[in-house]
Amino acid sequence: MMYIQYPLLSRCAYVGQIDLQPSISNQGYELKLQNFPGGAETFEIVLKFCYGFPVSLNSRNAAPLRCAAEFLDMTEELEDGNLISKTDSFLTLVVFSSWKDSITVLKSCESLSPWAENLQIVRRCCDSIASAAQGNFTTTETPSEQSRWLNDVATLRIDHFMKIVTSMTLKGLRPGLLGSCIMIYAEKWLLGTDVETEGSKRYTNGKNELQWSIQPGRSPEMEFGQYQEQRRIIESLVSILPHQKDAISCKFLLWMLKMAMVYSVSPAFISELEKRIGMVMDNASVYDLLIPGYTTAEQGKQVKSTGEQTLYNVDSVQRILEYFLMHEQQQQTQGHGNTNISKLLDNYLAEIAGDPNLSATKFQVIAESLPDNARPCDDGLYRAIDIYLKVLFAEQLKLREKMNNKQQAANTDNSEQEDNCLSPKEEIKKLKVELEKMMGIIEELQRDYTNLQQDCEKMRNKQNALSGWILGWHKIKRSSLFHGKIDANENREGKEKEKRISSMLRLKRRQSMS
């Protein structure tokens, strides 16, 4: 609420159009301004301008004053050199010609919605920053200047950052620069979260090593707002990823996928990340593929308990592999191929083989996913299968031990209950059901173990038979018996030929004598 006098009325059309009420002191009028852009501090500067005091425009107050002048309708029709024209001139001539000032103005616009958007201040700042990128990264600017530009842009709010990247895309800037902007922004806004995990993983982007982690079980009420913000940032960054294959590294994409799953990002964005990773999966390392098997629900709760799921998200890696094979199939039609993926996949199988909750079906599906020509050597696969079989055997022993302990406990309880004439039927039924479940689990593990042994033996026999046949053939060819048979055949054929020739000569001599 302000007391209004004539100088303000002469420059602000908005004030002249409303019904002003006289103040209690009769020294002016009372004016209530709700949702005034820039708040009381900006209105104070407007009052100074209206009363003729000198006002210094800078990159911090230019946007609030421009929005306030629009709110108060301070046009040239009321007075030459009014506040709208002055702030417009300053923004055009000073701010939009400097990316540093444009970033400062853009930050001041965060509290000026929707005025700054409607007045095109946000768009023009984003275009100015994008144009500066085009100049900084195509001319002789120093690396420190380029680095400062990237770091300063990464401090902006996500919606403003997206507008800058979109403007850069429209200006045709190279995809690698867009990728660098996105990676630096993600590092700043996603790695600073106060989250921890058991078995923290690390992501390295070539400059420094960055550590991230998530602790399941944190208070969902405390983290809900933070999860919402992180989820929104991840989804926004995925939506502006450049489409070119080499614009974003595979390591960064896999790190983003892990963060997306941790914060329960929409399945559509997770699927998009998996497709992008599938295009460059051959550039991944085995540790990049170790995606945590748990996720957070809407408020940070776990979807499954750790005892019901695998340690690592095998399903996601399987989908990534399918996308990779589809992409490779398209490339092979153009004369390209890739066989290096087999080593990565075999090492991945060896890493996940020790997970007691990994089913034989999932293990087998990934192991058999590659075509025959993509795996020149089966040694890595045999090693992974061997590790998995040992895990099955160890789990069998644990289950049997647990079953025996339960059985002994049940027998002890039954004997005590019989002595005391207290034998609750419900407890006995419960134990029987539990024992039947364990027997079923053991039988399933035994079947899986036997099937894997048979498949492994078949593969080994097939390879041994082929190598044995080739080795035997080489031995036969090198043997003296083989060469002796060849020499005997040649000697026999030579003697028969000599006999035929001598008989023909004797016949000719008889004919000549007669």
Side-chain angles (χ1 to χ4, degrees), residues 324-386:
F324 171 79
L325 294 175
M326 291 172 56
H327 179 71
E328 284 296 297
Q329 187 176 9
Q330 296 174 357
Q331 294 297 316
Q332 287 176 5
T333 59
Q334 302 174 3
H336 300 285
N338 193 322
T339 59
N340 297 328
I341 194 69
S342 62
K343 183 178 179 181
L344 171 65
L345 197 60
D346 292 344
N347 290 334
Y348 175 76
L349 288 171
E351 287 290 333
I352 66 174
D355 188 351
N357 293 328
L358 179 63
S359 67
T361 303
K362 288 187 178 182
F363 185 91
Q364 185 176 2
V365 167
I366 295 182
E368 296 178 348
S369 58
L370 290 182
D372 295 337
N373 60 353
R375 181 176 275 117
C377 178
D378 295 329
D379 293 345
L381 181 60
Y382 290 151
R383 182 172 69 92
I385 292 175
D386 185 59

Side-chain angles (χ1 to χ4, degrees), residues 473-492:
W473 172 247
H474 287 303
K475 287 182 178 179
I476 291 172
K477 289 182 68 177
R478 291 195 300 268
S479 66
S480 59
L481 178 61
F482 178 78
H483 290 289
K485 287 183 179 181
I486 293 176
D487 295 339
N489 291 334
E490 291 177 351
N491 292 334
R492 185 168 55 252

Side-chain angles (χ1 to χ4, degrees), residues 2-16 18 20 29-31 33 36 43-52 68 72-74 78-79 82-83:
M2 301 295 298
Y3 296 119
I4 308 304
Q5 294 184 352
Y6 178 75
L8 186 62
L9 292 172
S10 64
R11 290 179 178 264
C12 304
Y14 172 82
V15 177
I18 61 177
L20 298 175
Y29 297 90
E30 294 182 357
L31 175 64
L33 300 176
F36 184 78
F43 189 79
E44 183 178 353
I45 299 176
V46 172
L47 286 178
K48 290 181 179 179
F49 174 80
C50 292
Y51 279 86
L72 296 172
D73 199 9
M74 302 175 70
L78 297 178
E79 187 172 340
N82 211 345
L83 191 57

Side-chain angles (χ1 to χ4, degrees), residues 25 43 70 86 128 149 188 191 197 200 208 250 257 266 273 289 293 297 325 331 349 385 394 420 427 470-471 492 503:
S25 61
F43 189 79
E70 188 71 19
K86 283 189 175 295
S128 171
W149 183 92
K188 182 173 181 62
L191 286 171
T197 190
S200 60
N208 51 2
C250 181
L257 178 62
S266 171
L273 280 172
L289 294 176
L325 294 175
Q331 294 297 316
L349 288 171
I385 292 175
N420 298 329
E427 185 66 21
I470 296 173
L471 181 61
R492 185 168 55 252
S503 62

